[in-house]
Structures are given as structure tokens and as C-alpha cells.
Amino acid sequence: MLCSGGRFVVKFGGSSLRDSFEEALSFVSRLWDENEVVVVVSALKGVTDMLEGISRGNGSVQSVEELHLEFAKRRGVSPSVLSPILEELRRINTLNLPWEAFRDHVLSLGEMLSGIIFTEALRRRGIPAVLFEPWEILMTDGRFGNAEIDLRASRKTVKPVEEALEEGLVPVVPGFVGGYSGFRTTLGRGGSDYTASALGSLIGASGVIIMSDVEGIYTADPRKVLGARLIPFVSFGEAYVAARLGMKVLHPKAAEVAGPIHLGRTRDWHIGTVVGYESSGIPIVTYRVEGSDGIVSVVGVDSLGSFPFERHEEKGIPWVSVRVPLSRLGSALNAIHWEVIGRRIMFSRALSTVQVVI
Ligand code: ASP
Ligand code: MG
């Protein structure tokens, strides 16, 4: 996996940064020994929610400040490097922008703060990291709150990142944000994955690695379903559909930009799933909440025996959905998982396939 002579984009999620910061730095350092590396970071866990509050006028700037100052100090990074962004946050109400542009501007500061900390921490390890402003690098269609990256327009603006790589530097690009006509536009919640895959495609990366607190894509959410198993290979189409139906591991738009994505856990560098052209042929059970109902979906099957279901298809991938009251969501997930996965694992050779870890 940690091969040589390649060009990688590696993205760290907000929980990873908060809980496995040293492991994330070491991962970059090890990868950089023999490859070109671009780093994409999410905001520290919880920060985007806090900034949402601030953008609506009911959040606490002070808590965001304290969290980052304390975090930087604990990681041996001088808190003074955060001053320009913290100053901007303190004066945020003097920013005169239309509401949606204002909100995206405020949200962009979370990834900037974690980006600054990560860049400084890499430098302290002797790695020549350089921070980019994502709204200068990735151009979008201008849809505030849920923008699409305009790959064609970004081909030119991404050049400084490529030049930095060629000079032997490690570019750090804050995720979740792009630019449109001088405004900052966010890519939708969880959108740092999308930043990583779009960058990967733009700079011709040999691989995109998305590191978080989970190893990869499971047959179902392992916190809800006992016996959920890791799936080694998931196709782009399966990942896209599952993500749209509620699977949190990967942003749906990230699976739409071609190029293999390796999903792994920062804590132990375990890569559990490759999203690419291959499929393990194993269904994915996922869910989302709609009002007082839970919608359980199973990607990769076209019928169910035990529940009344609706059948759908998208991008050539069949899936079924079942609506249950929220109070029955947990038991429905387990029953459906048992029907479509459990028996296969118990009685078929799928067991050995499912447990492969790359
Ligand atoms: N920080 C953003 C969010 O919480 C984007 C991301 O983490 O991918 O949604
Ligand atoms: Mg995420």
C-alpha cells in the first residue's frame, strides 16, 4: 500500500485529527518518504457545527477559539499561528455578505484552522508543508452550501499545488470549501472527501487515501449491527448509492470523481476498503432518518423475503428500501442484515472474502 514513486492525496477526518493527530502526521511522513503527497484536512470534530451556530448568531466564538488554542498548544504548535483566522472570526459580524455567502465564509474557517495546525505540525517534523487557500485552488459552480467542483475551471487554478509537489513540498489543502467569483462556497456536509477525490483527479494522483476513525465500508453500521463485516472492494456505483442512502464513511460526490479511493483508519493505518472498479458483490445495508421513520436500504439486492420493500435502481446498481417506525429501526437493521448478509457469512465461503484486510 505505501508504495514508492506515486502521487497521493491523503485526507484526514475531524475525529482522526482530534484523536489520532500523531498517527496522522506519521502517516504523511512515511508516505512522503517515497511519494509525492497532498494533504486534505477536515475541521476538528464538532467545529463545523459550532461555526454553523455562529453563522446563525447563536454560537460562541470563544469556544471555537479556546478549542483551537488548547489543541495547538497540546500538539506543540505555537498558538500565534492561528491569530489571523481567530481575529477574522472575532470580527466576523463586520463582514458584509449576503446570508448564504456569509454562512459559507464562516464555515470555511474551521478547515483553515485545522489546516494551519496540521501544516505547522508537519513543519515541526521537518516536512516542508505549505498551506493553500482552497477557494483559490478549487473552483465551484457557486451553489452555496452544496457546491459542485468545476473540474474544468479548476484545471488551471490547481497548478500551484502541482508546482509545489514538483518542488518537493507537501501541499496542505483545507477540505470542504471551494471558490466562486471571489466567494467561498462549501461542498455540503462531509464534503472534505469530495475535495480529496477531486484534487486526486485534477493532479493525476495514483491514489486517494481517506483516513478516518473507521477502517472502511462495512456491510452495515457496526455500532448498530452486531456481526457487520468489512467489505474489501466496493465499486464506485455501490459507494455512491450507499452514501446517498445514508452511509457516512464517504461523501457521495467523492465516489463520482474517477480514481480509486482507499479508505482506512488513522489510529493503526489499517486500510479496509478500496472503492474502485471492482466489487466484492456483497450487499451494503444502510439507513437514514426521515421524520419519525427510519428508511433502511440494501444496496446490491433486488428483493427481500422478510419485509415489504420498494425496489429501485441507480447507476445500474439495484437497491431495495424498507420504511419502519424509528422505534423499530435497530431491530429491522439487524433482521435485514441477517437476511442478506448474516446467512451468507455463516454458510458460505463469503466469510473468508469479507475478512480480507488489505
Ligand atoms: N467539516 C465539514 C463537516 O463537518 C466537512 C467534513 O468534515 O468533511 O461537514
Ligand atoms: Mg466524513
Side-chain angles (χ1 to χ4, degrees), residues 241-255:
V241 173
R244 277 221 321 111
L245 298 171
M247 184 188 73
K248 290 282 186 297
V249 194
L250 186 67
H251 193 280
K253 285 188 223 156

Side-chain angles (χ1 to χ4, degrees), residues 11 42-43 48 111 176 189-193:
K11 176 248 164 178
S42 287
T48 305
E111 269 71 8
F176 181 48
R189 293 304 302 266
S192 298
D193 298 345

Side-chain angles (χ1 to χ4, degrees), residues 7-10 32 36-40 128-139 154-174 177 195-196 198-205:
R7 174 176 274 195
F8 288 93
V9 176
V10 54
W32 183 67
E36 292 177 341
V37 185
V38 177
V39 178
V40 172
V130 46
L131 182 71
F132 283 87
E133 293 180 330
W135 50 89
E136 302 286 349
I137 298 300
L138 293 171
M139 296 303 118
S154 304
R155 219 146 263 151
K156 214 162 64 210
T157 48
V158 82
K159 284 270 171 338
V161 171
E162 291 184 296
E163 284 161 16
L165 283 174
E166 279 147 24
E167 285 168 33
L169 306 174
V170 174
V172 176
V173 182
V177 187
T195 301
L199 265 175
S201 143
L202 284 163
I203 65 169

Side-chain angles (χ1 to χ4, degrees), residues 124-264:
R124 282 178 54 93
R125 285 194 172 213
I127 299 170
V130 46
L131 182 71
F132 283 87
E133 293 180 330
W135 50 89
E136 302 286 349
I137 298 300
L138 293 171
M139 296 303 118
T140 73
D141 63 359
R143 236 186 311 152
F144 292 108
N146 194 23
E148 296 270 336
I149 295 170
D150 182 339
L151 290 174
R152 266 232 332 243
S154 304
R155 219 146 263 151
K156 214 162 64 210
T157 48
V158 82
K159 284 270 171 338
V161 171
E162 291 184 296
E163 284 161 16
L165 283 174
E166 279 147 24
E167 285 168 33
L169 306 174
V170 174
V172 176
V173 182
F176 181 48
V177 187
Y180 179 78
S181 279
F183 293 107
R184 302 179 192 184
T185 50
T186 59
L187 306 173
R189 293 304 302 266
S192 298
D193 298 345
Y194 181 31
T195 301
S197 72
L199 265 175
S201 143
L202 284 163
I203 65 169
S206 24
V208 172
I209 309 173
I210 294 191
M211 301 296 278
S212 68
D213 54 352
V214 290
E215 280 168 283
I217 296 178
Y218 279 75
T219 51
D221 183 343
R223 288 164 307 183
K224 292 242 175 326
V225 175
L226 209 71
R229 293 288 200 278
L230 198 55
I231 311 180
F233 297 100
V234 173
S235 73
F236 290 118
E238 290 167 337
Y240 171 80
V241 173
R244 277 221 321 111
L245 298 171
M247 184 188 73
K248 290 282 186 297
V249 194
L250 186 67
H251 193 280
K253 285 188 223 156
E256 279 196 306
V257 189
I261 301 174
H262 304 253
L263 300 175

Side-chain angles (χ1 to χ4, degrees), residues 242-287:
R244 277 221 321 111
L245 298 171
M247 184 188 73
K248 290 282 186 297
V249 194
L250 186 67
H251 193 280
K253 285 188 223 156
E256 279 196 306
V257 189
I261 301 174
H262 304 253
L263 300 175
R265 185 165 57 199
T266 312
R267 173 157 53 82
D268 53 8
W269 300 5
H270 230 209
I271 305 289
T273 300
V274 179
V275 176
Y277 297 100
E278 278 189 59
S279 159
S280 301
I282 298 167
I284 303 168
V285 180
T286 184
Y287 70 95

Side-chain angles (χ1 to χ4, degrees), residues 330-347:
S331 58
L333 274 170
N334 278 276
I336 292 170
H337 186 265
W338 172 250
E339 180 187 329
V340 298
I341 309 279
R343 279 191 233 167
R344 290 165 70 124
I345 288 177
M346 290 289 285
F347 302 120

Side-chain angles (χ1 to χ4, degrees), residues 19 55 64 69 72 96 110 148 168 170 189 228 236 296 300 310 313:
D19 305 331
S55 73
V64 174
L69 291 174
N96 191 10
E148 296 270 336
V170 174
R189 293 304 302 266
F236 290 118
V296 180
E310 269 181 38
E313 192 177 315

